[in-house]
Amino acid sequence: MTILFSVLLIFAVAFVGPMAAKYLKNYSGWALSLVPLTVFLWFTGFIPEISGGSVINESYVWVSYLGINMSFYLDGLSLMFALIVTGVGTFIMIYGGGYLGSDPNLGRFYFSVLLFMGSMLGVVLADNIIALFIFWELTSISSYLLIGYKHNKEDSRKSALQALLVTGSGGLAMLAGFILLAIMTGTMEISEMFTQSGIVSEHPWYLGMLILVLIGAFTKSAQFPFHFWLPGAMAAPTPVSAYLHSATMVKAGVYLLARLSPVLSGTIEWTYIVTLFGAVTMLIGAWLALAHTDLKKILAYSTVMALGTLTMLLGMGHEYAVKAVAVFILGHSLYKGALFMVAGTVDHEAGTRDVRFISGLRKTMPFTATFGCIAALSMAGLAPLLGFIGKELVYEAALSASVFPLFLITAAVVSNIAVVASSGIVAIRPFFGEYKEHGKQVHEAPVSMWIGPAFLSVLSIVFGVLPFLIDGSIISKAAASIAGTPELVVSLSLWHGINAALILSVVTFASGVAVYMVWNKFRDSKGFQGYDRWMGEGPKNGYENILAGVLNFASVQTRFFQNGYLRYYLLTVLSFFVLIVGFTLFTKTDVSLMADFSDISFYEWTIALVIVVAAFAAVMAGSGLVAIAALGVAGYSISLLYVLFSAPDLAITQVLVETLTVILVALVLIHIPKFTATTSTSSKVRDGIIAGAAGTLVTLIVLAVLTVDFDPFMTDYFAENSYVVAYGRNIVNVILVDFRALDTFGEIVVIGVAGVGVYGLIKLGKSLFRKEEGKTV
């Protein structure tokens, strides 16, 4: 198996998903999970090689003349993400089969989630920036399908469009940044850019390129002020939230920052922008989680907090920070994926996710309660779980910060206090206390719905108690990739003695418990509700106002330009042509005309005069038939010019086209009402001025072109190769059907499609006419 094959395998199985749902039914999720499991096990085979210091390069020529290759790069960072994408994806397939087992659209879910899985795997493995961008956009498209899974609900459609517009717009900005980066470095391969950080940081385009790339990363990873789309995406089914919005998609922006960190970091601009945006997002997300009672909304905002934390750490960039990034990415994927699945299981069995209406479920759902509590404890950062080690490293990184150390330490502690309180809400409120009746018999979910939380939460314990299993093999190499160094020693442990980080952890836990105790009053206070309106709903309202403004502008513009009158369409096109092309011709070029009329024969002047007279006759004609006849005269005269200048093939084509046009238009004119002049004199003058200006401008362009010395390269090439290569004596025909074959084929397809459409309209018109005629009778 190759890296490319592993990605294509998941894409291929996506098309099998609907059939699996149809024929395997309840076993479909288990069967399809074997594919990501196989890819996961294959990637685990690279752990010894990568931990030994090797990297894997794999490249396939794609668009050679543009330097675009389908290339892949496997190192510590991409390996860790590949394991997360396929490992968590395995349990999502099983969980989705149980959660949506009776859903008639289950096959569509399988298709979309596997399409996303392959796209996300491509993102974290791609080495070429254009290939990365294509996979990046595929994740946006597939996530749009997943978020809008319940397409019959307006909320789902709206949330899906919101996520697509925000992340898609950021992706376009990122593409512009990628192109600038490729020009600056002279390569499109990310691995080749690692040695050019000095050139990039000193380049005058650095700041503009950096901002464009950061926009793409910030929109994808829901950084402030783009954080509003992530909670809105909770309209998606829980398996989607558990996969996209905790473990994979939202970390794509973080991955991009980590991957490009060796190239872009180390500057004041990077440190200030990335660190501050991350810290602000961390603070806002952590406390917005406490404003909600829906389990998925609480987890969504805590995910925003985690993404902000990772971004802040990447902005710092020092040794403690990159170690914390690697540990936090893995720890967060484990506990947040488990918690989202637990939230979905509670909703599936109890009929609600609102913690105000559920409690005491540990008695009827013991497995779900146990694994949910373990994951919540890891999220709260309690020992002996991996989340504790990650939180300790975050505090150590903040304590070692070179810029704004006091602010960053305070922000980290205040944010984690809110996270501890949120962890208590999702762990205690649904499962402990007095059991509440839910109007339905609540029981433990099937094994397919708790096996995922079981594995992920148990791994949080295993990696917390035995961190040596991952620190040297996965974490150290991932951290080294982020830091841009071949080796970075990481030694993880639960106990480092009594130090500042431990003291801050104790303060955090105690304060978090206190916040949890007063959460009800705190949530209902006017001040906190105002905070939610400003920081939660405010950016969302801003987005909706911008979108409404764009749509209103588009509506006004459409009403003005697309008003249904062909004459105004032509008027608009010609007016813009005269203004834009004329301005460019006279201000941006040195116009010099070459007009020599000495060698023009009498009969050529005569034909030209006939064309001009015919044109005026067509304009001044009071009858449609006279106008089309006059246009035919102009067309036949042009064919005579082709004959005089030795182009008989064009002359024949012109005669055929003119004959067919005159006949068809004449037949149409016979069946329409008599032509009536309704255009005012002022409109005719206006139209005449614009038409005259357009004609004059085209004439000037042609005369100016005659003064240009053309490079004969293409002319000589076609003359030398038309007969030898394409076996054609007519160079023009050979260019059309051989050298421009694809372009010509496209034109033929367009004409064919238009013809089919016209035929369909004619048939439909006849059918409607018969129905109306029948009604009349």
Side-chain angles (χ1 to χ4, degrees), residues 445-478:
V447 64
S448 60
M449 295 178 64
W450 58 255
I451 189 172
F455 267 87
L456 297 179
S457 59
V458 168
L459 282 178
S460 294
I461 298 177
V462 172
F463 292 153
V465 176
L466 306 173
F468 61 84
L469 294 175
I470 56 172
D471 59 1
S473 58
I474 297 177
I475 301 299
S476 61
K477 294 305 175 183

Coordinates of all heavy atoms in Angstrom, one line a residue, residues 445-478:
A445 N -27.5 2.2 25.7 CA -27.4 2.2 24.3 C -26.8 0.9 23.8 O -26.1 0.2 24.6 CB -26.6 3.4 23.8
P446 N -27.0 0.6 22.5 CA -26.3 -0.6 22.0 C -24.8 -0.5 22.0 O -24.3 0.6 22.1 CB -26.9 -0.8 20.6 CG -27.4 0.6 20.2 CD -27.9 1.2 21.5
V447 N -24.1 -1.6 21.9 CA -22.6 -1.6 22.0 C -22.0 -0.7 20.9 O -20.9 -0.1 21.2 CB -22.1 -3.0 21.9 CG1 -22.4 -3.6 20.5 CG2 -20.6 -3.0 22.2
S448 N -22.6 -0.6 19.8 CA -22.1 0.3 18.7 C -22.0 1.7 19.1 O -21.1 2.5 18.6 CB -22.9 0.2 17.4 OG -24.2 0.6 17.7
M449 N -22.8 2.2 20.1 CA -22.8 3.6 20.5 C -21.9 3.9 21.8 O -21.7 5.0 22.1 CB -24.2 4.0 20.7 CG -25.1 4.0 19.4 SD -26.8 4.5 19.7 CE -26.6 6.2 20.2
W450 N -21.5 2.8 22.5 CA -20.6 3.1 23.6 C -19.2 2.6 23.4 O -18.3 2.8 24.2 CB -21.2 2.7 24.9 CG -21.6 1.3 25.1 CD1 -22.8 0.7 25.1 CD2 -20.7 0.2 25.4 NE1 -22.8 -0.6 25.3 CE2 -21.4 -1.0 25.5 CE3 -19.3 0.1 25.6 CZ2 -20.9 -2.3 25.8 CZ3 -18.7 -1.2 25.8 CH2 -19.5 -2.3 25.9
I451 N -19.0 1.8 22.4 CA -17.6 1.2 22.2 C -16.6 2.3 21.9 O -15.5 2.3 22.3 CB -17.6 0.1 21.2 CG1 -16.3 -0.6 21.1 CG2 -18.0 0.7 19.8 CD1 -16.3 -1.8 20.3
G452 N -17.1 3.3 21.1 CA -16.2 4.4 20.8 C -15.8 5.2 22.0 O -14.5 5.4 22.3
P453 N -16.7 5.7 22.8 CA -16.3 6.4 24.0 C -15.5 5.6 25.0 O -14.6 6.1 25.6 CB -17.7 6.8 24.6 CG -18.6 6.9 23.5 CD -18.2 5.8 22.5
A454 N -15.8 4.2 25.0 CA -15.0 3.3 25.8 C -13.5 3.3 25.5 O -12.7 3.5 26.3 CB -15.6 1.9 25.8
F455 N -13.2 3.1 24.2 CA -11.8 3.1 23.8 C -11.2 4.4 23.9 O -10.0 4.5 24.4 CB -11.8 2.6 22.3 CG -11.6 1.2 22.1 CD1 -12.7 0.3 22.0 CD2 -10.4 0.6 21.9 CE1 -12.6 -1.0 21.9 CE2 -10.2 -0.8 21.8 CZ -11.3 -1.6 21.7
L456 N -11.8 5.5 23.5 CA -11.2 6.8 23.6 C -10.9 7.2 25.0 O -9.8 7.8 25.3 CB -12.0 7.8 22.8 CG -12.2 7.6 21.3 CD1 -13.1 8.6 20.7 CD2 -10.9 7.5 20.6
S457 N -11.9 7.0 25.9 CA -11.7 7.4 27.3 C -10.7 6.5 28.0 O -9.8 7.0 28.8 CB -13.0 7.4 28.1 OG -13.6 6.1 28.0
V458 N -10.6 5.2 27.7 CA -9.6 4.4 28.3 C -8.2 4.7 27.8 O -7.3 4.7 28.6 CB -10.0 2.9 28.0 CG1 -8.8 2.0 28.3 CG2 -11.2 2.4 28.7
L459 N -8.1 5.1 26.6 CA -6.8 5.6 26.1 C -6.3 6.8 26.8 O -5.1 7.0 27.0 CB -6.9 5.8 24.6 CG -6.9 4.6 23.7 CD1 -7.0 5.0 22.2 CD2 -5.6 3.8 23.8
S460 N -7.3 7.7 27.2 CA -6.9 8.9 28.0 C -6.3 8.4 29.3 O -5.3 9.1 29.8 CB -8.1 9.7 28.3 OG -8.6 10.3 27.1
I461 N -6.8 7.4 29.9 CA -6.2 6.9 31.1 C -4.8 6.2 30.9 O -3.8 6.5 31.5 CB -7.1 5.9 31.8 CG1 -8.4 6.5 32.2 CG2 -6.5 5.3 33.1 CD1 -9.5 5.6 32.8
V462 N -4.8 5.3 29.8 CA -3.6 4.6 29.5 C -2.4 5.6 29.2 O -1.3 5.4 29.8 CB -3.8 3.6 28.4 CG1 -2.5 3.0 27.9 CG2 -4.8 2.6 28.8
F463 N -2.7 6.5 28.3 CA -1.6 7.4 28.0 C -1.3 8.4 29.1 O -0.1 9.0 29.1 CB -2.0 8.2 26.7 CG -2.1 7.4 25.5 CD1 -2.9 7.8 24.4 CD2 -1.4 6.3 25.3 CE1 -3.0 7.0 23.3 CE2 -1.4 5.5 24.2 CZ -2.3 5.9 23.2
G464 N -2.2 8.6 30.0 CA -1.9 9.4 31.2 C -1.0 8.7 32.2 O -0.1 9.3 32.8
V465 N -1.4 7.5 32.5 CA -0.6 6.7 33.5 C 0.7 6.2 32.9 O 1.7 6.1 33.6 CB -1.5 5.5 33.9 CG1 -0.7 4.5 34.9 CG2 -2.7 5.9 34.6
L466 N 0.7 5.9 31.6 CA 1.9 5.3 30.9 C 2.3 6.2 29.7 O 2.2 5.8 28.6 CB 1.6 3.9 30.4 CG 1.1 2.9 31.4 CD1 0.7 1.6 30.8 CD2 2.1 2.7 32.5
P467 N 2.7 7.5 30.0 CA 3.0 8.4 28.9 C 4.2 8.0 28.1 O 4.3 8.5 26.9 CB 3.2 9.7 29.6 CG 3.6 9.3 31.0 CD 2.9 8.1 31.3
F468 N 5.0 7.1 28.6 CA 6.2 6.7 27.8 C 5.8 5.9 26.6 O 6.6 5.7 25.7 CB 7.1 5.8 28.7 CG 6.5 4.6 29.2 CD1 6.5 3.4 28.4 CD2 5.9 4.6 30.5 CE1 5.9 2.3 28.9 CE2 5.4 3.4 31.0 CZ 5.4 2.2 30.2
L469 N 4.5 5.5 26.5 CA 4.0 4.8 25.3 C 4.0 5.7 24.1 O 4.1 5.2 23.0 CB 2.7 4.2 25.6 CG 2.6 3.1 26.6 CD1 1.1 2.7 26.8 CD2 3.4 1.9 26.2
I470 N 3.8 7.0 24.3 CA 3.7 7.9 23.2 C 4.7 9.1 23.2 O 4.9 9.7 22.2 CB 2.3 8.6 23.3 CG1 2.0 9.3 24.6 CG2 1.2 7.5 23.0 CD1 0.7 10.1 24.6
D471 N 5.4 9.4 24.3 CA 6.2 10.6 24.3 C 7.4 10.5 23.4 O 7.7 11.4 22.7 CB 6.7 10.9 25.7 CG 7.5 9.8 26.4 OD1 7.7 8.7 25.8 OD2 7.9 10.0 27.6
G472 N 8.1 9.3 23.3 CA 9.2 9.2 22.4 C 8.9 8.8 21.0 O 9.6 9.1 20.1
S473 N 7.7 8.1 20.8 CA 7.4 7.5 19.5 C 6.5 8.5 18.7 O 6.7 8.6 17.5 CB 6.7 6.2 19.7 OG 5.5 6.4 20.5
I474 N 5.6 9.2 19.3 CA 4.7 10.0 18.6 C 4.8 11.5 18.9 O 5.0 12.4 18.1 CB 3.2 9.6 18.8 CG1 3.0 8.2 18.3 CG2 2.2 10.5 18.1 CD1 1.6 7.6 18.5
I475 N 4.7 11.8 20.2 CA 4.7 13.2 20.7 C 6.0 13.9 20.3 O 6.0 15.1 19.8 CB 4.4 13.3 22.2 CG1 3.1 12.7 22.5 CG2 4.5 14.7 22.6 CD1 1.9 13.3 21.9
S476 N 7.2 13.3 20.6 CA 8.4 14.0 20.4 C 8.6 14.3 18.9 O 9.1 15.4 18.6 CB 9.6 13.1 20.9 OG 9.7 11.9 20.2
K477 N 8.3 13.4 18.0 CA 8.5 13.6 16.6 C 7.5 14.7 16.0 O 7.8 15.5 15.2 CB 8.3 12.3 15.8 CG 9.4 11.3 16.1 CD 10.8 12.0 15.9 CE 11.9 11.1 16.3 NZ 13.3 11.7 16.2
A478 N 6.2 14.7 16.6 CA 5.3 15.7 16.2 C 5.7 17.1 16.6 O 5.7 18.0 15.9 CB 3.9 15.4 16.8

